[in-house]
Amino acid sequence: MTSTIILIIAATIDYLIGDPWGWVHPVQVMGWFISRFTKLALTHCHDYLTQRVAGIAIGIILIIGSGVVGYFLILVTKLLHPLLGITLECVLLASCFAGRSLRDAAQTVLQALTAGNLSEARVLLSKYVGRDTDKLTESEILRAILETVTENATDGVMAPLFYAIVGLFVPIVGPTPLALAYKASSTLDSMVGYREAPYTYLGWFSARVEDCLTWIPCRLTILTLAVLSGKPLYVWQICRRDGASDSSPNSGWSECAYAAILGVQVGGTNWYRGVAKHKPLLGDAKNRITASSIYQALQLTRFCFLLWLGITGVAAVTTTTSVQKLMPQL
């Protein structure tokens, strides 16, 4: 039950506070590690084979290491004082969820857009997306925000929660180490998981691992969203029709689910450092993408998160009660 309470507190911290500016964040530490070792690998590994081996080593060390370090940090602080250990675990677990950060980023850009300041909206958007933003129109900015919100809903919010829930029911481990390990995988993918040079071979392993780890929580998220929408068969049909056309086995499906529910279409041509990249169209353009569409998407993610959290709480209470009833018989 303690782990369940920690999970609920961590979710509350993320919703109310998010990631305070100026604080050392676990992702920053992971990013520092990745940057250092990537630079070292690119300096000394000059052929595709050694770069692949280096990429595998970096991935395994960071993913497993993040979970192990998190586990022992919590263990040591609990030995110092149980309350200190619980506090640290709540903070570490909250740092794995990006719900508040995602919401704040979207609102920041939307506020500038609503105020009619297109140039400021472009500058603000450039902090959160990889595409070129200096020439985007208002409709393209809205599409970019929605795509970011719906893609990151899975790997930034629901997948970390999924692994926290799995850890909750694994004896000794607890929710935080597995969530940290997944966060490390996601961070690796965002930093080196590209098909373009210089990460073509170095980031291959990280990209594939993140795809695999996200596959199950992505499908569960889509199913949950489909049920919440009240039109599950339609949402699933659109996802099967369009989601598979995206090069990513997860992000396309995630974006497509929201697009189907909202009745909008995402995808199209984006520019990256002056080079056009054509992404498949996802969903049907029944409605125009508006600020309201984005807020609805954020609300859907929040409802999905709360539903999983609620089911987990009930399951944890039921399991604990069953074990307590069995103990006297044993």
Side-chain angles (χ1 to χ4, degrees), residues 3-325:
S3 293
T4 307
I5 294 170
I6 287 170
L7 178 56
I8 293 170
I9 292 173
T12 305
I13 291 172
D14 176 66
Y15 179 78
L16 296 176
I17 302 173
D19 301 322
W21 287 99
W23 287 34
V24 177
H25 195 283
V27 172
Q28 289 177 309
V29 179
M30 294 173 189
W32 179 89
F33 177 93
I34 296 167
S35 296
R36 291 290 189 280
F37 278 80
T38 297
K39 186 177 179 180
L40 192 66
L42 291 173
T43 301
H44 297 284
C45 303
H46 303 292
D47 60 87
Y48 80 95
L49 182 59
T50 54
Q51 286 188 4
R52 280 182 182 270
V53 171
I56 292 171
I58 293 170
I60 291 174
I61 291 170
L62 186 68
I63 294 170
I64 296 177
S66 295
V68 171
V69 169
Y71 175 83
F72 281 106
L73 275 175
I74 293 165
L75 183 64
V76 170
T77 50
K78 280 182 178 178
L79 290 174
L80 294 174
H81 195 286
L83 187 58
L84 182 63
I86 290 172
T87 302
L88 177 65
E89 187 166 10
C90 288
V91 172
L92 285 176
L93 186 54
S95 72
C96 296
F97 305 136
R100 178 60 185 260
S101 300
L102 198 59
R103 187 169 77 248
D104 287 349
Q107 288 176 338
T108 300
V109 182
L110 284 174
Q111 285 171 359
L113 205 58
T114 304
N117 197 333
L118 192 61
S119 58
E120 183 183 358
R122 289 167 176 163
V123 172
L124 290 170
L125 180 63
S126 67
K127 298 178 181 179
Y128 308 113
V129 300
R131 71 191 70 178
D132 300 340
T133 63
D134 54 320
K135 296 180 181 178
L136 294 184
T137 62
E138 181 179 343
S139 62
E140 288 172 331
I141 291 173
L142 287 169
R143 175 169 69 86
I145 299 171
L146 184 61
E147 288 173 353
T148 300
V149 163
T150 55
E151 178 184 349
N152 288 286
T154 296
D155 57 16
V157 182
M158 300 308 301
L161 177 61
F162 171 81
Y163 284 101
I165 292 171
V166 171
L168 192 71
F169 293 97
V170 176
I172 302 174
V173 176
T176 308
L178 286 188
L180 283 170
Y182 175 79
K183 198 68 177 179
S185 171
S186 180
T187 305
L188 274 164
D189 181 57
S190 65
M191 291 184 68
V192 299
Y194 302 103
R195 295 181 179 180
E196 296 83 10
Y199 305 115
T200 308
Y201 304 113
L202 187 68
W204 171 84
F205 178 78
S206 297
R208 295 299 176 273
V209 169
E210 199 273 345
D211 285 344
C212 292
L213 292 178
T214 308
W215 198 92
I216 292 176
C218 178
R219 270 62 188 175
L220 290 176
T221 299
I222 291 167
L223 289 173
T224 307
L225 291 169
V227 171
L228 288 173
S229 73
K231 43 186 179 182
L233 290 178
Y234 171 74
V235 173
W236 187 250
Q237 287 170 355
I238 296 298
C239 286
R240 288 194 64 186
R241 186 193 72 186
D242 297 342
S245 61
D246 194 280
S247 58
S248 167
N250 300 307
S251 62
W253 281 72
S254 183
E255 291 178 33
C256 195
Y258 285 91
I261 294 169
L262 298 172
V264 300
Q265 189 175 72
V266 295
T269 303
N270 300 325
W271 292 81
Y272 298 87
R273 292 183 289 278
V275 179
K277 183 176 181 180
H278 305 285
K279 296 194 67 177
L281 297 174
L282 309 174
D284 297 322
K286 298 178 181 179
N287 304 313
R288 210 165 42 88
I289 298 175
T290 63
S292 178
S293 307
I294 295 163
Y295 284 118
Q296 287 178 53
L298 290 167
Q299 189 175 51
L300 279 168
T301 303
R302 186 157 58 248
F303 285 163
C304 189
F305 189 94
L306 290 173
L307 181 60
W308 283 22
L309 205 59
I311 292 172
T312 301
V314 171
V317 170
T318 304
T319 303
T320 303
T321 304
S322 300
V323 170
Q324 289 176 342
K325 287 181 179 179

